[in-house]
């Protein structure tokens, strides 16, 4: 690995190329070299004041650069550095962000800390409920605080209750104000598997959403304003927050079965990872070499084109049918060579009537958006590449590395229509939604040391990496994982403006019979890290939480039913067309 890294640096310098990481690393090296103080002085002179937003996502190298330039701990009066961030929202460790960097900055600026203590997003009930959930854990005398950073009397990451500006409107269900935080418990005599938990919660959550939307149409649910007006709840008011694509798939399938359309938003899903991208590669190969029987048949048999089996069988039986396909793809090649790849792909979509065919499918809008997005990316790439084969190779390379999605490759929103948003918690950070569902919030992925290399931090906050972890290191790494899960839960709960529903269950991992709920963020907040003696104890934990606040309730799990959502008919009158 060291040799590859060194050779990579040599090759980049030979080609005079650099990436984003190089900009940081080379600036850091320059600042800490002999002439580093002179460079720092020039930067200070040009930028005497700097502000860093979302500072909790800073990594050690970035912090080292700012420390060198602005001498944070010395606190010079001729410069100003303002680091704005919320450590409770530090959830990007997988991208290199390091909460220990934030803690180092906090120590360096002791006595110069200022807080924004009022929430302007959520209702007073929602803020009070979230405060109570975390204060309960923070107040335990024997625990390590709500975010696991308390040691003896020192807590660099405390939970401090925030005040609420409040909202003018109020969520009403069946004519009654709705409790801000509601916990749905999956009843069981023993710990249940993750599969059962996800399935039960998905069906109950989808049924509840349908009931809420249908009640809104009948005027029995909605947002009541001070003037007495009741605005009905719409699908676009609802966000379902999940951890990954598997959870999203499960809940979206249940929503689709009940006639509720949804959109999935993730901050790392690449458009190149979609099935359409693989089919597009087959189409390009066939258009570049239309006389190749193997390539043309592969293109016509692609899932996205969705040709019928009898139509595909005719390719083998009828010479004239085969010849007509060859001629059509030769025409595509001509269009590609004369006008470019984007006009050629649009012509292909039009000829196969894909927009009309896809729109009938539940995921059709998503597929069509991906195809148009890919066509645009290919058109941009074609400007820097020479010939069809170079573009095909470019697409094939991206398919091979679709795990690393650049900013321009992230899946696009397919529609601005009234859709329920299914969003990863990471993607939801910084956003707000009137109603939030967290149906799978008890799921967790404890660190067991099987995924290597293992990353962990020592008691001084220094990062370590090991290929041969011992039990202590695995325990430390899992402790950090739980701490990040707690921050992730905080982000999820604070997205809601009016109400949030949580799916709670006593879970087990794999074939083990023992409960693993205490290793999840919600389990830690409820029980302080104690393992459940039996599944009935969970009911006691939830009732104890509900007893502490009027804004928290624990109703039974909504009954799963097959009721359908009936989309309201639009009553708009068309106005006369305007003359250009």
């Amino acid at each position: 690995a060291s040799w590859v890294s060194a050779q990579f640096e040599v090759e980049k310098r030979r080609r005079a190329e650099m990436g984003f990481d190089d900009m940081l690393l080379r600036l850091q090296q320059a600042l800490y070299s002999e002439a580093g103080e002179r460079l720092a002085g020039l930067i200070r002179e040009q930028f005497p004041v700097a502000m860093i937003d979302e500072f909790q996502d800073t990594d050690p190298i970035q912090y080292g650069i700012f420390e060198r330039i602005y001498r944070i701990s010395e606190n010079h009066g001729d410069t100003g550095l303002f680091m704005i961030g919320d450590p409770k929202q530090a959830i990007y460790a997988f991208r290199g962000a390091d909460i220990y960097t934030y803690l180092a900055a906090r120590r360096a600026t002791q006595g110069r800390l200022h807080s924004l203590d009022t929430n302007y997003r959520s209702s007073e009930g929602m803020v009070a409920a979230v405060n109570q959930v975390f204060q309960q854990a923070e107040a335990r005398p024997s625990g390590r605080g709500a975010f696991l950073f308390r040691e003896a009397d020192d807590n660099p990451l405390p939970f401090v209750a925030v005040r609420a500006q409040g909202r003018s409107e109020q969520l009403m269900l069946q004519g009654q104000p709705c409790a801000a935080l509601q916990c749905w418990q999956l009843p069981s005599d023993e710990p249940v598997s993750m599969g059962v938990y996800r399935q039960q919660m998905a069906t109950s959550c989808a049924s509840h959403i349908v009931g809420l939307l249908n009640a809104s149409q009948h005027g029995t649910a909605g947002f009541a304003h001070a003037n007495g007006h009741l605005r009905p709840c719409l699908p676009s008011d609802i966000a379902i927050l999940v951890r990954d694509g598997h959870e999203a798939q499960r809940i979206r399938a249940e929503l689709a079965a009940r006639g509720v359309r949804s959109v999935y938003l993730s901050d790392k899903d690449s458009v190149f990872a979609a099935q359409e991208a693989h089919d597009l590669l087959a189409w390009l190969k066939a258009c570049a070499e239309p006389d190749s029987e193997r390539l043309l048949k592969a293109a016509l048999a692609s899932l996205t084109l969705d040709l019928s089996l009898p139509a595909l069988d005719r390719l083998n039986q009828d010479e004239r049918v085969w010849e007509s396909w060859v001629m059509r793809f030769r025409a595509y090649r001509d269009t590609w060579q004369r006008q470019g790849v984007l006009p050629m792909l649009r012509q292909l979509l039009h000829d196969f009537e894909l927009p009309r065919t896809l729109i009938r499918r539940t995921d059709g809008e998503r597929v069509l958006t991906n195809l148009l997005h890919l066509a645009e990316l290919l058109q941009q790439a074609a400007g820097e590449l020479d010939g069809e084969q170079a573009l095909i190779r470019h697409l094939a390379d991206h398919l091979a590395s679709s795990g690393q999605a650049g900013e321009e490759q992230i899946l696009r929103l397919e529609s601005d229509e009234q859709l329920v948003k299914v969003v990863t918690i990471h993607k939801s950070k910084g956003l707000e939604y009137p109603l939030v569902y967290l149906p799978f919030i008890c799921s967790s992925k404890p660190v067991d040391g099987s995924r290597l290399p293992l990353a962990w931090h020592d008691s001084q906050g220094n990062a370590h990496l090991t290929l041969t972890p011992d039990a202590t290191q695995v325990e430390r790494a899992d402790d950090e994982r739980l701490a990040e899960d707690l921050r992730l839960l905080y982000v999820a709960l604070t997205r809601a403006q009016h109400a949030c529903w949580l799916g709670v269950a006593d879970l087990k991992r794999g074939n083990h019979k023992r409960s693993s709920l205490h290793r999840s963020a919600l389990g830690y907040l409820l029980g302080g890290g104690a393992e459940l003696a039996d599944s009935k104890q969970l009911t006691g934990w939830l009732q104890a939480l509900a007893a502490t606040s009027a804004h928290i309730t624990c109703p039974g799990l909504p009954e799963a039913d097959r009721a359908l959502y009936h989309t309201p008919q639009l009553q708009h009158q068309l106005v006369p067309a305007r003359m250009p």
Side-chain angles (χ1 to χ4, degrees), residues 514-533:
R514 291 172 60 178
S515 170
S516 65
L517 182 65
H518 61 290
R519 301 178 76 179
S520 72
L522 190 63
Y524 171 79
L525 292 178
L526 290 172
E531 187 176 334
L532 277 174

Side-chain angles (χ1 to χ4, degrees), residues 373-480:
H373 186 179
L374 287 161
E376 273 182 46
L377 293 175
L378 289 173
Q379 181 71 21
Q380 289 169 11
E384 301 169 14
L385 299 168
D386 190 19
E388 296 88 54
Q389 292 303 329
L391 191 62
I392 289 170
R393 196 158 52 247
H394 168 83
L395 178 55
D397 288 346
H398 273 294
L399 293 184
S401 61
S402 61
Q404 300 90 41
E407 191 69 32
E408 75 286 351
Q409 298 169 18
I410 299 295
L411 288 180
R412 290 178 181 172
L413 185 63
E414 64 251 40
S415 174
D416 293 329
E417 282 187 71
Q418 289 293 335
L419 304 174
V420 170
K421 298 174 188 70
V422 181
V423 195
T424 60
I425 300 175
H426 285 97
K427 180 76 172 176
S428 74
K429 184 172 164 297
L431 303 175
E432 57 186 290
Y433 309 98
L435 307 176
V436 169
Y437 288 82
L438 302 170
F440 314 116
I441 199 62
C442 287
S443 60
S444 62
K445 295 176 182 173
V447 176
D448 57 6
S450 61
R451 292 187 67 179
L452 299 175
L454 184 79
W456 54 282
H457 291 77
D458 59 25
S459 50
Q460 278 73 50
N462 300 313
H464 294 272
L465 210 61
T466 178
L467 288 165
T468 54
D470 58 32
T472 308
Q473 292 165 347
V474 170
E475 193 178 333
R476 265 192 177 277
D478 189 50
D479 201 51
E480 288 177 31

